[in-house]
Amino acid sequence: MAVLQKIRNKGVLLVSIIALALFLFVIGDFLRGGEVLFTQSRQKAGEIAGKNVSIQDYQKFLTQIQFFYEESGQGNQARAEQINDMAWNTFVQQQIIGNECRELGLAVSDEEVAEFLRSGQHQFLQIRDFINPQTGTYDYAYVQQAINASQQLRDYYIFAQEQIRNELLAYKYQSLLQQSFLANPVEAQQAFNDRVNESDIVLVSIPFTTVDDKDVKVEDSDLKAKYEELKPRMLQPVETRELKYIDVAIVASDEDREAAQKDMDENQQKLAAAADSKAIATLVHNASSLLSYSDVLKKKDAFPAFIQARLEGDSTALQVGQTTPVVFDAANNLYYTLRLLEKTTQADSVLFRGITITGKDEKDVAQKADSVVNALKAGTAFAEMAKKYNQPSDSVWISTSQFQQGQLSADDTKLINTLYAMSKGEVKKMKFSTGATVVYELMDKRSDVTKYKLAAIVKDLKYSTETSTKEFNKLNTFLAANNTLAKIEANAAQNGYVVQTAEIYSGNRSINNLEKTNEIVRWLFDDAKKGEVAQQVFRCGSSDQGHLMVVALSDITEPGYIPFDKVKEQLTTMVTNDKKGEKILSDVKGITTLAAAKAVKGAQVDSISHVSFANAAYIPSAPMGEPMVSALAAKTAKGAFGKAVKGNNAVYMLQVTDKRTTAEQFDAAAAATQVARQNTGMALNSAFGDLSRKANVKDLRYKFF
């Protein structure tokens, strides 16, 4: 009883202690959970349909896409930013379509994927490491060996399977959607008629620009009415940020030019004196030429336009053995010197096949290779000999365009030069630096073309570190004295700078189409407040074309309808043109002949053939397409005058000089299919846009790239 009494006496204290312990326990979990959430938010590359996309998951996807571009030979055709954007768009589309397909019960079987893996008929399987070098084609058995020997290829192979599955899933989704769009016979017939019925016309255009701006009056009420009319098109699903910026392109100074000219003069003398191809290749490499040297003959189109112009034509064309003086190409901002080593006529493509010889040692391989060569020369069938070595006898065409771009290995160069030098039916053995020995048969040659072997030292005119520092300090001094947006706009011009405006959303990682502006984008979306000026000069642009930027966040537009004030200037242009069009229509309403139409002040006359209702008529004097002209021509009889109609940029009148129907025959089924396909295409674009908005996609890659 005494114990119970003590507990009662201390009850309040015990309850307080327990409550405190529970509180500490809960708050500890809360803080740990908050730490986890904070960490997750820092690793968030985006959001799709309410689900976070971690940077780790997206980076894995992007890495494989980059690997595909490199391995398929397309890596030099797109910038890293472009590949990143293509990867993100693909990633988002797959997530959105995948969600829809799960709800619809659409799926892709393993066997459907396996069929593509066996055949290789998919772009993601057409990479260098999946091509059997002996046959030049995709080989499933060869691929299995390759992925077993390389973890990187194994990971890519798994990725390729998933891409095939996703594309098949998207195809099934599109097919399902396509079946929802049918064309009735009347619609199909009308679409056919719109396409095959054509008119030849003489068109008179009275451009809106013939009316002076002061002759039309635009009220705010007009602009607001236009805004309401176009409001459905004003919906902006993402937040955008308007920035004001100064962009300074760093250009080479006179001192930089003198140094570059001296360097190129020295390279030109060395190029002219080089004794052989090996010395030339070494010189071009050491000079860091933008155009690498390959010791193979190439067609004219392998070279840049400024070099092509020196290969053929008048007396300025390069002669074999000639080395040009150093030339500065201002249009491309580069210096170059050329040496033409050879010019000849050679086959554009050759057909060949090969047998890889194996043996117990190098001597055994050499003896077997000689034996195979002698047997083939004696008349043994190639297929029979290949079968003896357990190899296919498939032949491969190779064309000049396949190898004339980019750098070639010594083995590639040796093989190409050997094959193109061989005669039809000739057999030769070749030993490569890898140790492999192959016996080749040249089966055919086609399409003789002119080819060149040319060495070029091509170098950009670059600015020096001193020049860059000078420009940076100058702009930094300006920023220090003008640290507000108002001061920048007031004083930029007198300091030789131009203030520009841009509107971007978080998915834009490029400002003014410049590289390496991601630091600016991060500042704009993560740190900047409206009206704030970044108190630093940003360096951006490529390594060869550097830029300096001063940036201010001038406005923020939240998701939703774009505010009236943001589009007022565009609306003013639209309404002004509308009123000008109405004025011109009023002025020409009494005109009923072509001669009178041509006499209107500012009239432009075009003769246009093959105008159909199905396509917007192309106006050469504009130049642009104009649907209203197509409609007017379609409803106007042959020989008749079509009275004035208002188009997008002008008022039009026309005379129909001829009408005819093309020879195409009506096929009801084909016409219906074509109409349904067109409708499906428009629906797919609309559907994916709607699904993207519904998914509320957020692109936060700017935080990482």
Side-chain angles (χ1 to χ4, degrees), residues 173-245:
Y173 180 75
Q174 292 175 19
S175 298
L176 179 64
L177 191 60
Q178 184 173 353
Q179 293 175 26
S180 303
F181 290 88
L182 302 174
N184 61 56
V186 174
E187 185 182 14
Q189 181 70 63
Q190 185 61 55
F192 176 80
N193 293 343
D194 291 343
R195 187 173 70 253
V196 301
N197 292 327
E198 296 181 342
S199 303
D200 293 345
I201 63 172
V202 176
L203 179 71
V204 177
S205 309
I206 316 296
F208 296 156
T209 52
T210 58
V211 178
D212 198 295
D213 286 352
K214 63 181 176 55
D215 292 334
V216 295
K217 186 176 182 181
V218 177
E219 306 280 358
D220 261 6
S221 57
D222 299 321
L223 300 179
K224 289 177 180 176
K226 193 69 173 179
Y227 178 80
E228 290 301 321
E229 176 192 336
L230 301 177
K231 195 168 184 179
R233 291 159 52 182
M234 303 289 183
L235 185 61
Q236 179 178 280
V238 296
E239 176 189 293
T240 60
R241 302 213 162 190
E242 181 188 84
L243 61 144
K244 304 277 188 179
Y245 65 97

Side-chain angles (χ1 to χ4, degrees), residues 4-44:
L4 290 174
Q5 186 59 43
K6 285 183 179 180
I7 291 175
R8 291 191 188 100
N9 293 338
K10 303 293 184 181
V12 175
L13 177 60
L14 287 171
V15 169
S16 299
I17 292 172
I18 292 170
L20 178 61
L22 286 171
F23 173 76
L24 292 175
F25 176 77
V26 171
I27 197 66
D29 278 353
F30 174 77
L31 292 173
R32 283 191 294 274
E35 183 179 346
V36 170
L37 290 173
F38 178 69
T39 302
Q40 289 176 344
S41 69
R42 293 181 60 186
Q43 300 300 313
K44 184 176 174 181

Side-chain angles (χ1 to χ4, degrees), residues 251-288:
V251 297
S253 65
D254 291 341
E255 292 80 7
D256 297 335
R257 289 176 176 273
E258 290 174 7
Q261 182 70 49
K262 181 181 178 182
D263 174 65
M264 284 297 299
D265 287 340
E266 293 174 356
N267 281 315
Q268 190 269 350
Q269 294 172 12
K270 293 177 182 177
L271 181 61
D276 52 35
S277 292
K278 185 176 180 180
I280 288 173
T282 301
L283 171 62
V284 172
H285 174 75
N286 291 341
S288 301

Side-chain angles (χ1 to χ4, degrees), residues 373-433:
V373 169
N374 292 333
L376 291 172
K377 287 181 177 180
T380 302
F382 192 95
E384 180 182 333
M385 190 60 67
K387 186 176 180 181
K388 180 179 177 181
Y389 282 86
N390 297 315
Q391 294 176 36
S393 58
D394 298 342
S395 57
V396 179
W397 278 104
I398 182 172
S399 67
T400 310
S401 298
Q402 291 176 260
F403 61 77
Q404 67 181 8
Q405 300 292 347
Q407 188 65 38
L408 297 173
S409 68
D411 282 346
D412 289 337
T413 300
K414 180 180 179 181
L415 175 61
I416 289 165
N417 286 336
T418 299
L419 289 173
Y420 275 85
M422 290 168 66
S423 303
K424 184 176 178 180
E426 188 176 353
V427 176
K428 273 191 177 183
K429 73 172 182 178
M430 289 185 61
K431 184 177 180 181
F432 296 100
S433 62

